[in-house]
Amino acid sequence: MRERKAADPLHSSTDLTEGKEKLRLKQEVGLISGVSLIAGTMIGSGIFMSPEWVLHHMGNPASSLLIWAACGLLAMFGALSYAELGTIIKESGGEYIYILRIFGSFPAFLFAYTSVILVRPAGLAAVCLSFAEYAIAPFYPGCSSPQAAVKCTAAACILILTIINCLNVRLATSVMNVFTAAKLLALLVIVVGGLVLLAKGQTQSFQNGFQGTTAGIGAVGVAFYQGLWSYDGWNNLNYVTEELKKPEVTLPRALMIAIPLVTCLYLLVNVTLRGAAWATWAWLISLSVALSTFGSSNGTFFSGGRVCYIAAREGHMVNILSMAHVRRLTPSPALLFTSAMSLVMIISGSFTSIVNFFSFMAWLFYGMTISGLYADVLLSQVPIIIPIIVLMAAVYLVLAPIIDQPQIEILYIVLFIFSGIIFYFPLVHFKYHPHFLQRVTLHLQLLLEVAPTTRDAN
């Protein structure tokens, strides 16, 4: 592991807490909130939208169920590997902090640059757009909702989440707990109703279940992308490690509860929604999607803001983003920045094709992070076969669609990642910091009532 470098004095702003105890984020995330953060983020619109596309790429219901089960197993293996990293590196930041400590500054900056500017805001914008589609659909019966209304509703969702998360960590986790419980209850009602219909003989969808299975590696890879989009969020607790109560206990326990729960629920939902449950429970499905997407967007926003905050604290983003509110102890500048970037994504884009490219970028960095376990193989308590399986899956998910179905958009993504070089060398490597930024930082500190923080000593 690389040792943490001393803070750059030129990059430091006026420390409003000089001579006093430094600020740090509170450890307010317990086991229930941890489970809610994972499950609440995972269960979004994907479970209602992705089944159709997984079925499209696989060709039949039975093989698509195998994909859903395999996605759940892969998410579990990935989470176990991340739990191991989380017990070795007890810092917030998820992939960013693990890549930084294991591989060094340059690859960590590329991850932070890509995640903070594009991946996290795009993911949040996509979920909020999905929420908006279902939230306003009842007001436009029989026709599609106007895009202006959808985008305004999605923007309002982001602004509400910004206020909640900036006010109080406990308020944000309480919202997660409530919406996770509500969406689980709604999904359980759908599952029970669907099982009753299946018991009455509505099983036509599963006759000749494996007929017409797709065999192409690219199609299977894209089907995995769609399925794994619904499982995205299994790593969210690693972004807030410093805010966990007893992280060495809470982190693995929350993972072992949340991911099997979500996997079983996804399989049951896929089975029941193949029958007549869609028509019978249409109103409840719409309600479930609205609850799921709002709760998922809250979890995505909660964790995404932490990546920006931690990257700034390590000197890879402007210093103001590393500060916290002096009374509320929330990383409000980072949250505001994430909110602003997400609003830009909503104004300029749509939900179309974001899933495949989000998954491509995500598994590119997941694979890199998992490979870091080999650097600490002597410390690892996880059977080595588990990170090997995840690493092989990550390589497959990155390469299979490129080999089988190459798309120009993937080249654009790779170019965007490496465009970070333009900013890394002058601003991070050579530590060039314009003097006007220091004045701007000081004024923003006073305006936002924020001050520098320190990481948890434990």
Side-chain angles (χ1 to χ4, degrees):
M1 295 277 180
R2 294 177 184 262
E3 294 294 325
R4 183 177 179 177
K5 294 181 181 179
D8 173 23
L10 292 177
H11 194 271
S12 301
S13 65
T14 303
D15 188 348
L16 300 181
T17 60
E18 187 174 355
K20 302 178 182 179
E21 182 181 357
K22 283 199 171 186
L23 292 176
R24 61 169 57 96
L25 303 184
K26 288 184 177 180
Q27 293 180 310
E28 292 189 342
V29 182
L31 180 60
I32 294 176
S33 295
V35 172
S36 296
L37 177 59
I38 298 169
T41 306
M42 290 173 71
I43 303 174
S45 61
I47 184 54
F48 300 99
M49 295 181 172
S50 293
E52 177 185 354
W53 291 103
V54 174
L55 179 62
H56 170 74
H57 290 292
M58 293 307 300
N60 61 73
S63 58
S64 66
L65 280 178
L66 291 179
I67 291 292
W68 282 98
C71 287
L73 187 62
L74 184 58
M76 187 72 251
F77 282 175
L80 288 173
S81 302
Y82 269 49
E84 179 68 18
L85 285 167
T87 58
I88 297 171
I89 306 172
K90 297 180 182 180
E91 298 178 68
S92 297
E95 293 89 7
Y96 167 75
I97 204 69
Y98 304 147
I99 293 172
L100 176 64
R101 299 291 177 244
I102 297 170
F103 297 108
S105 178
F106 179 59
F109 174 83
L110 292 182
F111 171 82
Y113 169 75
T114 306
S115 180
V116 170
I117 302 297
L118 182 62
V119 176
R120 284 281 161 175
L124 178 59
V127 176
C128 289
L129 284 168
S130 181
F131 162 78
E133 287 277 4
Y134 282 88
I136 68 173
F139 299 100
Y140 298 93
C143 63
S144 58
S145 304
Q147 281 301 301
V150 171
K151 291 190 176 186
C152 287
T153 305
C157 177
I158 289 178
L159 293 176
I160 291 171
L161 293 174
T162 304
I163 294 170
I164 291 172
N165 282 267
C166 285
L167 284 177
N168 191 279
V169 172
R170 188 169 296 174
L171 176 61
T173 56
S174 296
V175 170
M176 277 189 290
N177 295 345
V178 170
F179 275 86
T180 299
K183 73 175 75 174
L184 287 175
L185 179 61
L187 287 175
L188 285 173
V189 172
I190 292 173
V191 167
V192 171
L195 290 175
V196 170
L197 292 171
L198 289 173
K200 291 181 178 180
Q202 298 188 23
T203 59
Q204 298 89 344
S205 298
F206 294 98
Q207 295 176 1
N208 302 319
F210 284 99
Q211 186 175 357
T213 299
T214 301
I217 62 169
V220 173
V222 174
F224 264 104
Y225 278 176
Q226 295 290 337
L228 289 168
W229 165 260
S230 300
Y231 284 94
D232 191 65
W234 54 264
N235 57 333
N236 264 17
L237 209 56
N238 293 75
Y239 292 115
V240 296
T241 304
E242 294 172 30
E243 296 172 71
L244 296 179
K245 299 174 182 177
K246 298 181 179 178
E248 66 281 356
V249 176
T250 302
L251 180 59
R253 285 184 181 176
L255 293 171
M256 294 302 294
I257 294 172
I259 297 177
L261 172 66
V262 172
T263 302
C264 292
L265 192 59
Y266 277 5
L267 291 174
L268 288 171
V269 169
N270 269 275
V271 169
T272 57
L273 292 184
R274 298 289 176 217
W278 274 108
T280 307
W281 301 100
W283 65 272
L284 185 57
I285 290 172
S286 296
L287 176 62
S288 299
V289 174
L291 291 172
S292 298
T293 47
F294 186 83
S296 180
S297 59
N298 183 50
T300 301
F301 188 79
F302 185 86
S303 60
R306 268 56 180 182
V307 178
C308 180
Y309 161 75
I310 297 297
R313 195 178 67 182
E314 297 294 333
H316 285 165
M317 293 288 158
V318 292
N319 202 41
I320 187 66
L321 299 178
S322 69
M323 300 185 187
H325 196 278
V326 293
R327 294 190 306 278
R328 303 187 186 280
L329 300 180
T330 57
S332 51
L335 294 171
L336 291 170
F337 180 80
T338 301
S339 174
M341 294 303 300
S342 299
L343 289 172
V344 171
M345 295 287 179
I346 284 177
I347 294 169
S348 61
S350 66
F351 191 83
T352 307
S353 78
I354 195 173
V355 174
N356 291 348
F357 303 120
F358 176 91
S359 298
F360 172 82
M361 298 177 76
W363 281 94
L364 178 65
F365 287 109
Y366 289 163
M368 184 175 183
T369 304
I370 295 297
S371 67
L373 271 178
Y374 295 105
D376 292 292
V377 68
L378 296 178
L379 300 176
S380 179
Q381 300 298 314
V382 174
I384 195 64
I385 188 63
I386 290 179
I388 288 176
I389 291 173
V390 179
L391 186 58
M392 291 174 62
V395 172
Y396 172 79
L397 289 169
V398 170
L399 295 182
I402 296 176
I403 296 171
D404 193 60
Q405 299 175 349
Q407 299 180 59
I408 190 64
E409 288 85 352
I410 293 178
L411 175 62
Y412 295 154
I413 291 172
V414 173
L415 290 175
F416 179 84
I417 293 173
F418 284 99
S419 69
I421 296 173
I422 299 172
F423 302 97
Y424 175 78
F425 283 99
L427 300 179
V428 179
H429 184 75
F430 294 109
K431 297 181 171 57
Y432 171 70
H433 306 295
H435 290 291
F436 79 90
L437 280 181
Q438 297 180 15
R439 295 194 296 272
V440 171
T441 299
L442 181 58
H443 288 299
L444 286 174
Q445 278 188 255
L446 296 173
L447 176 65
L448 300 175
E449 297 184 0
V450 295
T453 61
T454 182
R455 68 183 179 91
D456 192 331
N458 296 322

